[in-house]
Amino acid sequence: MGVINLSADSWYRESVCLSAETAIKRARVLQAQGADIIDLGAESTLAHAARADDATQQSKLLPVIKALRKANILVSVETYSPAVTRASLEAGANILNLTGPRARTNSFAWSPPTMRQ
């Protein structure tokens, strides 16, 4: 698994990509190095990091998800937001990595979108 963080606050500095173009290029490098899945996140889980609202996360994640899925790269999305979860799945994400800086029981309180074959 390759990791790409679309947040400047990420603790894993080598994974930070601040544009969709950079993230897509990095994902292709990670895939060439053997990553079968690319894990994307748009908000740092560090306690002192600024929180990213749903719209900000989606604006960072969705173009990358769509481009990677178009290239047949499997995508995992790290989030705890129901809205980001739904949008990510609708954009083609294959795996959800439900995590975050605080407990969010409502992460599971949504109906999944109809999945495409």
Side-chain angles (χ1 to χ4, degrees):
M1 178 182 287
V3 176
I4 296 175
N5 288 298
L6 301 165
S7 166
D9 293 334
S10 176
W11 62 270
Y12 183 26
R13 302 308 307 157
E14 296 82 10
S15 70
V16 174
C17 294
L18 299 180
S19 72
E21 295 78 21
T22 303
I24 294 162
K25 288 178 186 177
R26 178 72 179 142
R28 292 180 189 274
V29 168
L30 291 167
Q31 183 187 41
Q33 292 174 338
D36 293 321
I37 301 167
I38 302 299
D39 185 58
L40 301 173
E43 180 183 71
S44 175
T45 58
L46 293 173
H48 67 275
R51 296 299 115 218
D53 64 23
D54 292 347
T56 299
Q57 290 185 57
Q58 290 177 36
S59 71
K60 293 179 178 184
L61 289 167
L62 301 184
V64 180
I65 294 168
K66 290 175 183 177
L68 297 185
R69 290 305 301 134
K70 187 175 181 180
N72 292 317
I73 298 173
L74 295 176
V75 176
S76 168
V77 175
E78 180 179 338
T79 187
Y80 57 88
S81 163
V84 175
T85 297
R86 175 176 287 284
S88 295
L89 289 172
E90 289 173 350
N94 305 95
I95 301 166
L96 296 175
N97 181 359
L98 297 174
T99 187
R102 57 188 180 259
R104 293 281 302 257
T105 57
N106 64 347
S107 292
F108 303 103
W110 53 272
S111 298
T114 303
M115 300 307 290
R116 299 177 299 279
Q117 292 288 346

